[in-house]
Amino acid sequence: TCALPISATVKFNRQKYNVEADLQIPDYDLEVGLRLGSVNPDTKGKATHSVQIDLVNKNIPQASLVALAKYVK
C-alpha cells in the first residue's frame, strides 16, 4: 500500500453564492480546482450560472474548462 498526502478544501461564499473546491497532491505537483457559482447573484432564480474547472501542474495552468448555463421557463 502506498500512502499519498492529499489535501482537499471546500469553501462556500454566501454573499457571492458560489462554491469552490480544491484538491492538491503534492507528490505529483498536481492541483485541481472546481468553482460553481452564479455570474450575477443579484438576479435570484434567473441568474446565469457558471462552472469552472482548472487543472494546474507545478503551478502552471494545464487546462481550464468554463461553462455557462441559464435556465429560462
Side-chain angles (χ1 to χ4, degrees):
T1 348
C2 178
L4 290 176
I6 296 176
S7 164
T9 58
V10 177
K11 299 177 188 175
F12 176 68
N13 186 329
R14 289 187 294 171
Q15 283 133 0
K16 293 184 179 180
Y17 199 67
N18 65 5
V19 177
E20 296 182 9
D22 291 311
L23 176 69
Q24 297 177 352
I25 306 172
D27 287 353
Y28 293 100
D29 290 326
L30 182 65
E31 180 179 334
V32 178
L34 173 67
R35 284 146 192 78
L36 304 170
S38 180
V39 174
N40 186 1
D42 295 330
T43 56
K44 302 216 187 276
K46 294 186 178 181
T48 300
H49 299 282
S50 66
V51 176
Q52 180 175 346
I53 301 173
D54 297 319
L55 178 63
V56 179
N57 188 11
K58 297 181 182 177
N59 288 330
I60 300 172
Q62 299 295 319
S64 183
L65 172 68
V66 178
L68 299 174
K70 184 174 184 174
Y71 176 72
V72 180
K73 290 183 181 180

Coordinates of all heavy atoms in Angstrom, one line a residue:
T1 N 0.8 -1.2 0.0 CA 0.0 0.0 0.0 C 0.9 1.2 0.0 O 1.9 1.3 0.7 CB -0.9 0.1 1.2 OG1 -0.9 -1.2 1.9 CG2 -2.3 0.5 0.9
C2 N 0.4 2.2 -0.8 CA 1.2 3.5 -0.9 C 0.3 4.6 -0.3 O -0.8 4.8 -0.8 CB 1.5 3.7 -2.4 SG 2.4 5.2 -2.6
A3 N 0.9 5.3 0.6 CA 0.1 6.4 1.2 C 0.6 7.7 0.6 O 1.8 8.0 0.6 CB 0.4 6.5 2.7
L4 N -0.3 8.5 0.0 CA 0.0 9.8 -0.5 C -0.7 10.9 0.3 O -1.8 10.8 0.7 CB -0.6 9.9 -2.0 CG 0.0 9.0 -3.0 CD1 -0.8 9.2 -4.3 CD2 1.4 9.5 -3.3
P5 N 0.1 12.0 0.6 CA -0.5 13.1 1.3 C -1.4 13.9 0.3 O -0.9 14.4 -0.8 CB 0.7 13.9 1.7 CG 1.8 13.6 0.8 CD 1.5 12.2 0.4
I6 N -2.7 14.0 0.5 CA -3.6 14.7 -0.3 C -4.4 15.7 0.5 O -4.8 15.4 1.6 CB -4.6 13.7 -1.0 CG1 -3.9 12.7 -1.9 CG2 -5.7 14.4 -1.8 CD1 -4.7 11.7 -2.5
S7 N -4.5 16.9 0.0 CA -5.2 18.0 0.7 C -6.4 18.4 -0.1 O -6.3 18.6 -1.3 CB -4.3 19.1 0.9 OG -4.9 20.3 1.2
A8 N -7.6 18.5 0.5 CA -8.8 19.0 -0.2 C -9.5 20.0 0.7 O -9.5 19.9 1.9 CB -9.7 17.8 -0.4
T9 N -10.0 21.1 0.0 CA -10.7 22.1 0.7 C -12.0 22.5 -0.1 O -12.0 22.4 -1.3 CB -9.9 23.4 0.8 OG1 -9.5 23.9 -0.5 CG2 -8.6 23.2 1.7
V10 N -13.0 22.8 0.7 CA -14.3 23.2 0.1 C -14.7 24.5 0.8 O -14.7 24.6 2.0 CB -15.4 22.2 0.2 CG1 -16.7 22.7 -0.3 CG2 -15.0 20.9 -0.4
K11 N -15.0 25.5 0.0 CA -15.4 26.8 0.5 C -16.8 27.3 -0.1 O -17.0 27.1 -1.3 CB -14.4 27.9 0.2 CG -13.0 27.6 0.8 CD -12.0 28.7 0.3 CE -10.6 28.4 0.7 NZ -9.7 29.3 0.2
F12 N -17.6 27.8 0.7 CA -18.9 28.4 0.3 C -19.0 29.8 0.7 O -18.8 30.2 1.8 CB -20.1 27.6 0.9 CG -21.4 28.1 0.5 CD1 -21.9 28.1 -0.8 CD2 -22.2 28.7 1.4 CE1 -23.1 28.6 -1.2 CE2 -23.5 29.2 1.1 CZ -23.9 29.2 -0.2
N13 N -19.2 30.7 -0.3 CA -19.4 32.1 0.0 C -20.9 32.5 -0.1 O -21.4 32.4 -1.2 CB -18.5 32.9 -1.1 CG -18.5 34.4 -0.8 OD1 -19.5 34.9 -0.2 ND2 -17.4 35.0 -1.1
R14 N -21.5 32.8 1.0 CA -22.9 33.2 1.0 C -23.2 34.5 0.3 O -24.3 34.6 -0.3 CB -23.4 33.2 2.4 CG -23.5 31.8 3.0 CD -24.2 31.9 4.4 NE -23.4 32.7 5.3 CZ -23.8 33.0 6.5 NH1 -24.9 32.7 6.9 NH2 -23.0 33.7 7.3
Q15 N -22.3 35.4 0.3 CA -22.6 36.7 -0.3 C -22.5 36.6 -1.8 O -23.3 37.2 -2.6 CB -21.6 37.8 0.2 CG -22.0 38.3 1.6 CD -20.9 38.3 2.5 OE1 -19.8 38.0 2.2 NE2 -21.1 38.7 3.8
K16 N -21.5 35.9 -2.4 CA -21.4 35.8 -3.8 C -22.1 34.5 -4.3 O -22.2 34.3 -5.5 CB -19.9 35.7 -4.2 CG -19.1 36.9 -3.9 CD -17.7 36.8 -4.4 CE -16.9 38.0 -4.2 NZ -15.5 37.9 -4.6
Y17 N -22.6 33.7 -3.4 CA -23.4 32.5 -3.7 C -22.6 31.6 -4.7 O -23.0 31.2 -5.8 CB -24.7 32.9 -4.4 CG -25.7 31.7 -4.3 CD1 -26.2 31.3 -3.1 CD2 -26.1 31.1 -5.4 CE1 -27.1 30.2 -3.0 CE2 -27.0 30.1 -5.4 CZ -27.5 29.6 -4.2 OH -28.4 28.6 -4.1
N18 N -21.4 31.2 -4.3 CA -20.6 30.3 -5.0 C -19.9 29.3 -4.1 O -19.7 29.5 -2.9 CB -19.6 31.0 -5.9 CG -18.5 31.8 -5.2 OD1 -18.5 31.7 -4.0 ND2 -17.7 32.5 -5.9
V19 N -19.4 28.2 -4.8 CA -18.7 27.1 -4.1 C -17.4 26.9 -4.8 O -17.3 26.8 -6.0 CB -19.6 25.8 -4.1 CG1 -18.8 24.7 -3.5 CG2 -20.9 26.0 -3.4
E20 N -16.3 26.7 -4.0 CA -15.0 26.4 -4.5 C -14.5 25.2 -3.9 O -14.6 25.0 -2.6 CB -14.0 27.6 -4.3 CG -14.4 28.9 -5.0 CD -13.4 30.0 -4.7 OE1 -12.3 29.7 -4.1 OE2 -13.6 31.1 -5.1
A21 N -13.9 24.3 -4.7 CA -13.3 23.1 -4.1 C -11.9 22.9 -4.8 O -11.7 23.2 -6.0 CB -14.1 21.9 -4.4
D22 N -10.9 22.6 -3.9 CA -9.6 22.4 -4.4 C -9.0 21.1 -3.9 O -9.2 20.7 -2.8 CB -8.6 23.6 -4.0 CG -9.0 24.9 -4.6 OD1 -9.1 24.9 -5.9 OD2 -9.1 25.9 -3.9
L23 N -8.3 20.4 -4.8 CA -7.6 19.1 -4.4 C -6.2 19.3 -4.8 O -5.9 19.6 -5.9 CB -8.3 18.0 -5.2 CG -7.7 16.6 -5.0 CD1 -7.9 16.1 -3.6 CD2 -8.2 15.7 -6.0
Q24 N -5.3 19.0 -3.8 CA -3.9 19.1 -4.1 C -3.2 17.7 -3.8 O -3.4 17.2 -2.7 CB -3.3 20.2 -3.2 CG -3.8 21.5 -3.6 CD -3.2 22.6 -2.7 OE1 -2.5 22.3 -1.7 NE2 -3.5 23.9 -3.0
I25 N -2.3 17.3 -4.7 CA -1.5 16.1 -4.5 C 0.0 16.5 -4.7 O 0.5 16.6 -5.8 CB -1.9 15.0 -5.5 CG1 -3.4 14.7 -5.4 CG2 -1.1 13.7 -5.2 CD1 -3.9 13.7 -6.5
P26 N 0.6 16.9 -3.5 CA 2.0 17.5 -3.6 C 3.0 16.5 -4.3 O 3.9 17.0 -5.0 CB 2.4 17.8 -2.2 CG 1.1 17.7 -1.4 CD 0.2 16.8 -2.2
D27 N 2.9 15.2 -4.1 CA 3.9 14.3 -4.6 C 4.0 14.3 -6.1 O 5.0 14.1 -6.8 CB 3.7 12.9 -4.2 CG 4.0 12.7 -2.7 OD1 4.6 13.6 -2.1 OD2 3.8 11.6 -2.1
Y28 N 2.8 14.7 -6.8 CA 2.8 14.8 -8.2 C 2.7 16.2 -8.7 O 2.4 16.4 -9.9 CB 1.5 14.0 -8.7 CG 1.7 12.5 -8.5 CD1 1.1 11.9 -7.4 CD2 2.5 11.7 -9.3 CE1 1.2 10.5 -7.2 CE2 2.6 10.4 -9.1 CZ 2.0 9.8 -8.1 OH 2.1 8.4 -7.8
D29 N 2.8 17.2 -7.8 CA 2.7 18.6 -8.2 C 1.4 18.9 -8.9 O 1.4 19.5 -9.9 CB 3.9 19.1 -9.0 CG 5.1 19.1 -8.2 OD1 5.0 19.4 -7.0 OD2 6.2 18.9 -8.7
L30 N 0.3 18.3 -8.5 CA -1.0 18.4 -9.1 C -2.0 19.1 -8.3 O -2.1 18.8 -7.1 CB -1.5 17.0 -9.4 CG -2.8 16.9 -10.2 CD1 -2.7 17.5 -11.6 CD2 -3.3 15.5 -10.3
E31 N -2.7 20.0 -8.9 CA -3.8 20.8 -8.2 C -4.9 20.9 -9.1 O -4.8 21.3 -10.3 CB -3.2 22.2 -7.8 CG -4.3 23.0 -7.1 CD -3.7 24.3 -6.7 OE1 -2.5 24.5 -6.5 OE2 -4.5 25.3 -6.5
V32 N -6.1 20.5 -8.6 CA -7.3 20.6 -9.4 C -8.3 21.5 -8.6 O -8.5 21.4 -7.4 CB -8.0 19.2 -9.6 CG1 -9.3 19.4 -10.4 CG2 -7.0 18.3 -10.4
G33 N -8.9 22.5 -9.3 CA -9.9 23.4 -8.7 C -11.2 23.3 -9.4 O -11.3 23.2 -10.6
L34 N -12.3 23.4 -8.7 CA -13.6 23.4 -9.2 C -14.4 24.6 -8.6 O -14.4 24.8 -7.4 CB -14.4 22.1 -8.9 CG -15.8 22.0 -9.3 CD1 -16.0 22.1 -10.8 CD2 -16.5 20.8 -8.7
R35 N -15.0 25.4 -9.4 CA -15.7 26.6 -9.0 C -17.1 26.6 -9.6 O -17.3 26.5 -10.8 CB -15.0 27.9 -9.3 CG -13.8 28.1 -8.4 CD -12.7 28.8 -9.2 NE -11.4 28.8 -8.4 CZ -10.6 27.8 -8.3 NH1 -11.0 26.6 -8.8 NH2 -9.5 27.9 -7.6
L36 N -18.1 26.6 -8.7 CA -19.5 26.7 -9.1 C -20.1 28.0 -8.6 O -19.9 28.3 -7.4 CB -20.3 25.5 -8.6 CG -19.8 24.1 -9.0 CD1 -20.5 23.1 -8.1 CD2 -20.0 23.8 -10.4
G37 N -20.9 28.7 -9.4 CA -21.5 29.9 -8.9 C -22.4 30.6 -9.9 O -22.5 30.2 -11.0
S38 N -22.9 31.7 -9.4 CA -23.8 32.5 -10.2 C -23.0 33.6 -10.8 O -22.2 34.3 -10.0 CB -25.0 33.0 -9.3 OG -25.8 33.8 -10.0
V39 N -23.2 33.9 -12.1 CA -22.5 35.0 -12.7 C -22.9 36.3 -12.1 O -22.1 37.2 -11.8 CB -22.6 35.0 -14.2 CG1 -22.0 36.2 -14.9 CG2 -22.0 33.7 -14.8
N40 N -24.3 36.5 -11.9 CA -24.8 37.7 -11.3 C -25.8 37.2 -10.2 O -26.9 37.0 -10.5 CB -25.6 38.5 -12.3 CG -26.0 39.9 -11.8 OD1 -25.8 40.1 -10.6 ND2 -26.7 40.6 -12.6
P41 N -25.3 37.1 -9.0 CA -26.1 36.6 -7.9 C -27.3 37.5 -7.5 O -28.2 37.1 -6.8 CB -25.2 36.5 -6.7 CG -24.1 37.4 -7.0 CD -24.0 37.5 -8.5
D42 N -27.4 38.7 -8.0 CA -28.5 39.7 -7.6 C -29.8 39.3 -8.3 O -30.8 39.7 -7.9 CB -28.1 41.1 -7.9 CG -26.9 41.6 -7.1 OD1 -26.8 41.1 -6.0 OD2 -26.2 42.4 -7.6
T43 N -29.7 38.6 -9.4 CA -30.9 38.2 -10.1 C -31.3 36.8 -9.6 O -31.0 35.8 -10.2 CB -30.7 38.1 -11.6 OG1 -29.6 37.3 -11.9 CG2 -30.4 39.5 -12.2
K44 N -32.1 36.7 -8.6 CA -32.5 35.5 -8.0 C -33.4 34.7 -8.9 O -34.4 35.2 -9.4 CB -33.1 35.7 -6.6 CG -32.3 36.5 -5.7 CD -32.5 36.1 -4.3 CE -31.8 37.0 -3.3 NZ -30.5 36.8 -3.1
G45 N -33.0 33.4 -9.1 CA -33.9 32.5 -9.8 C -33.6 32.5 -11.3 O -33.9 31.5 -12.0
K46 N -33.2 33.6 -11.9 CA -33.0 33.7 -13.3 C -31.5 34.0 -13.7 O -31.3 34.5 -14.7 CB -33.9 34.8 -13.9 CG -35.4 34.4 -13.8 CD -36.2 35.5 -14.5 CE -37.7 35.1 -14.4 NZ -38.5 36.0 -15.1
A47 N -30.6 33.8 -12.8 CA -29.2 34.1 -13.0 C -28.6 33.1 -13.9 O -29.0 32.0 -14.1 CB -28.5 34.2 -11.7
T48 N -27.5 33.6 -14.6 CA -26.7 32.7 -15.4 C -25.6 32.1 -14.4 O -25.0 32.8 -13.7 CB -25.9 33.5 -16.5 OG1 -26.9 34.1 -17.3 CG2 -25.0 32.6 -17.3
H49 N -25.5 30.8 -14.4 CA -24.6 30.1 -13.6 C -23.4 29.6 -14.3 O -23.4 29.4 -15.5 CB -25.3 28.9 -12.9 CG -26.5 29.2 -12.1 ND1 -26.4 29.7 -10.8 CD2 -27.8 29.2 -12.4 CE1 -27.6 30.0 -10.4 NE2 -28.5 29.7 -11.3
S50 N -22.3 29.5 -13.6 CA -21.0 29.2 -14.3 C -20.4 28.0 -13.5 O -20.6 27.8 -12.3 CB -20.1 30.4 -14.3 OG -19.7 30.7 -13.0
V51 N -19.7 27.2 -14.3 CA -18.9 26.1 -13.8 C -17.5 26.3 -14.4 O -17.3 26.4 -15.6 CB -19.4 24.7 -14.2 CG1 -18.5 23.6 -13.7 CG2 -20.8 24.5 -13.7
Q52 N -16.5 26.3 -13.5 CA -15.1 26.4 -14.0 C -14.3 25.3 -13.4 O -14.3 25.1 -12.1 CB -14.5 27.8 -13.6 CG -13.1 28.0 -14.0 CD -12.6 29.4 -13.7 OE1 -13.4 30.3 -13.4 NE2 -11.3 29.6 -13.8
I53 N -13.5 24.6 -14.2 CA -12.6 23.5 -13.7 C -11.2 23.9 -14.2 O -11.0 24.0 -15.4 CB -13.0 22.1 -14.2 CG1 -14.5 21.8 -13.7 CG2 -12.0 21.1 -13.8 CD1 -15.0 20.5 -14.3
D54 N -10.3 24.0 -13.3 CA -8.9 24.3 -13.6 C -8.0 23.1 -13.2 O -8.1 22.6 -12.1 CB -8.4 25.5 -12.9 CG -9.2 26.7 -13.3 OD1 -9.5 26.9 -14.4 OD2 -9.5 27.5 -12.4
L55 N -7.0 22.8 -14.1 CA -6.0 21.7 -13.8 C -4.7 22.4 -13.8 O -4.3 23.0 -14.9 CB -6.1 20.6 -14.9 CG -5.1 19.5 -14.7 CD1 -5.3 18.8 -13.4 CD2 -5.2 18.6 -15.9
V56 N -4.0 22.4 -12.7 CA -2.7 23.1 -12.6 C -1.6 22.0 -12.2 O -1.8 21.2 -11.3 CB -2.7 24.2 -11.5 CG1 -1.4 24.8 -11.3 CG2 -3.8 25.2 -11.8
N57 N -0.5 22.0 -12.9 CA 0.6 21.1 -12.7 C 1.9 21.9 -12.5 O 2.2 22.7 -13.4 CB 0.7 20.1 -13.8 CG 1.7 19.0 -13.5 OD1 2.2 18.9 -12.4 ND2 2.1 18.3 -14.5
K58 N 2.5 21.8 -11.3 CA 3.7 22.5 -11.0 C 3.5 24.0 -11.1 O 4.3 24.8 -11.7 CB 4.9 22.1 -11.9 CG 5.3 20.6 -11.6 CD 6.4 20.2 -12.5 CE 6.7 18.8 -12.2 NZ 7.8 18.3 -13.1
N59 N 2.3 24.5 -10.6 CA 2.0 25.9 -10.6 C 1.8 26.5 -12.1 O 1.9 27.7 -12.3 CB 2.9 26.8 -9.8 CG 2.7 26.6 -8.4 OD1 1.7 26.2 -7.9 ND2 3.8 26.7 -7.6
I60 N 1.7 25.6 -13.1 CA 1.5 26.1 -14.4 C 0.1 25.6 -14.9 O -0.2 24.4 -14.8 CB 2.5 25.5 -15.4 CG1 3.9 26.0 -14.9 CG2 2.3 25.9 -16.8 CD1 5.1 25.4 -15.6
P61 N -0.8 26.5 -15.3 CA -2.1 26.0 -15.7 C -2.0 25.1 -17.0 O -1.4 25.5 -17.9 CB -2.9 27.3 -16.0 CG -2.1 28.4 -15.3 CD -0.7 27.9 -15.2
Q62 N -2.6 23.9 -16.9 CA -2.5 23.0 -18.0 C -3.8 23.0 -18.8 O -3.8 22.9 -20.0 CB -2.2 21.6 -17.5 CG -0.9 21.4 -16.7 CD 0.3 21.7 -17.6 OE1 0.3 21.2 -18.7 NE2 1.2 22.4 -17.1
A63 N -4.9 23.1 -18.1 CA -6.2 23.1 -18.8 C -7.2 23.8 -18.0 O -7.2 23.9 -16.8 CB -6.7 21.7 -19.1
S64 N -8.2 24.4 -18.6 CA -9.3 25.1 -18.0 C -10.6 24.9 -18.8 O -10.6 25.0 -20.0 CB -9.0 26.6 -17.8 OG -10.0 27.3 -17.1
L65 N -11.6 24.6 -18.1 CA -12.9 24.4 -18.7 C -13.9 25.3 -18.0 O -14.1 25.3 -16.8 CB -13.4 22.9 -18.6 CG -14.8 22.6 -19.0 CD1 -14.9 22.8 -20.5 CD2 -15.2 21.2 -18.6
V66 N -14.6 26.1 -18.8 CA -15.6 27.1 -18.3 C -16.9 26.9 -19.0 O -16.9 26.8 -20.3 CB -15.1 28.5 -18.5 CG1 -16.1 29.5 -18.0 CG2 -13.8 28.8 -17.8
A67 N -18.0 26.7 -18.3 CA -19.3 26.5 -18.9 C -20.3 27.5 -18.2 O -20.2 27.7 -17.0 CB -19.7 25.1 -18.7
L68 N -21.2 28.0 -19.0 CA -22.2 28.9 -18.6 C -23.6 28.3 -18.9 O -23.8 27.7 -19.9 CB -22.1 30.3 -19.2 CG -20.9 31.1 -19.0 CD1 -20.9 32.4 -19.8 CD2 -20.7 31.4 -17.5
A69 N -24.5 28.4 -18.0 CA -25.8 27.9 -18.2 C -26.9 28.8 -17.6 O -26.7 29.5 -16.6 CB -26.0 26.5 -17.5
K70 N -28.0 28.9 -18.3 CA -29.1 29.8 -17.9 C -30.4 29.0 -18.0 O -30.6 28.5 -19.1 CB -29.1 31.1 -18.7 CG -30.2 32.1 -18.1 CD -30.1 33.4 -18.9 CE -31.0 34.4 -18.3 NZ -30.9 35.7 -18.8
Y71 N -31.2 29.0 -17.0 CA -32.5 28.3 -17.0 C -33.6 29.3 -17.3 O -33.7 30.3 -16.6 CB -32.7 27.6 -15.7 CG -34.1 27.0 -15.6 CD1 -34.4 25.8 -16.4 CD2 -35.1 27.5 -14.8 CE1 -35.6 25.2 -16.3 CE2 -36.3 27.0 -14.8 CZ -36.6 25.8 -15.5 OH -37.8 25.2 -15.4
V72 N -34.3 29.1 -18.4 CA -35.4 30.0 -18.8 C -36.7 29.2 -18.9 O -36.7 28.2 -19.5 CB -35.1 30.7 -20.1 CG1 -36.3 31.6 -20.5 CG2 -33.8 31.4 -20.1
K73 N -37.7 29.7 -18.2 CA -39.0 28.9 -18.3 C -39.8 29.2 -19.5 O -39.8 30.3 -20.1 CB -39.9 29.3 -17.1 CG -39.3 28.7 -15.8 CD -40.3 29.1 -14.7 CE -39.7 28.6 -13.3 NZ -40.6 28.8 -12.2

